[in-house]
Amino acid sequence: MVGETISTALAEVRAIYSELNRRTMQRHCRARTECCQFQLTGLTPHLTKGEALLAAKALRATGRKELPETDDGACPLLKRETGKCLIYADRPFGCRTHFCAVAGGPYARKEVIDLIRRLEDLDVRLKGDGPRKIISAVTAALAELH
Ligand code: SF4
């Protein structure tokens, strides 16, 4: 990886997520996982490369080498047996700022635009292709991590 090690990239993504958590906007994710049901919401998170690498690393930490195979249209990172996100602490930005009415609705883009820019800048430095749908983004990141 040219110009940026994976470890510094992951640290930058985690710093961005931490900054989001410190913002005063009130959001209360209750882990109801309704936003993880892509087949119902019609919406799928898109990940920049740094986010995808962090998600892939977190998935590896669960002992998995690949995304679980699924055919129900929900996020493959949603553990069916427990109804919980496999990588909740490292879940992507879109999963934190989404459209969930229960959690308080979506952030206005202007509220988080600086953080989006940081993720986009990191994507460029990592030679990413811009935000990609979660499955293809994490699949590519897993291949890159080896
Ligand atoms: S990464 Fe986790 S929080 Fe995000 S959609 Fe998938 S299961 Fe849900």
Side-chain angles (χ1 to χ4, degrees):
M1 186 169 293
V2 179
E4 189 102 31
T5 67
I6 286 184
S7 61
T8 58
L10 299 185
E12 167 73 358
V13 176
R14 285 200 172 109
I16 292 167
Y17 292 166
S18 295
E19 171 64 26
L20 179 67
N21 288 340
R22 284 195 294 274
R23 300 263 160 119
T24 55
M25 295 109 46
Q26 291 299 306
R27 293 294 185 283
H28 301 287
C29 172
R30 293 164 203 232
R32 288 173 53 158
T33 69
E34 290 169 9
C35 66
C36 313
Q37 310 293 334
F38 306 155
Q39 79 283 23
L40 298 179
T41 64
L43 298 166
T44 306
H46 284 59
L47 281 59
T48 54
K49 188 167 180 179
E51 294 172 87
L53 286 168
L54 183 58
K57 179 112 174 156
L59 183 64
R60 283 284 175 86
T62 70
R64 295 167 176 82
K65 291 188 164 64
E66 297 176 352
L67 278 174
E69 287 200 22
T70 59
D71 60 4
D72 57 6
C75 180
L77 292 167
L78 181 66
K79 190 170 184 184
R80 273 47 176 183
E81 297 87 344
T82 62
K84 293 184 174 165
C85 175
L86 283 167
I87 60 158
Y88 189 77
D90 291 315
R91 68 196 187 284
F93 195 79
C95 304
R96 298 162 190 263
T97 58
H98 55 60
F99 36 85
C100 174
V102 174
Y107 290 115
R109 190 172 163 81
K110 67 180 182 198
E111 293 177 295
V112 291
I113 189 65
D114 58 320
L115 302 180
I116 291 171
R117 292 276 182 261
R118 283 171 64 184
L119 288 170
E120 290 174 345
D121 289 348
L122 180 60
D123 186 87
V124 170
R125 299 203 303 276
L126 293 171
K127 304 195 182 311
D129 300 319
R132 296 170 62 179
K133 285 186 175 180
I134 187 166
I135 294 176
S136 66
V138 175
T139 299
L142 283 166
E144 190 156 333
L145 285 180
H146 300 297

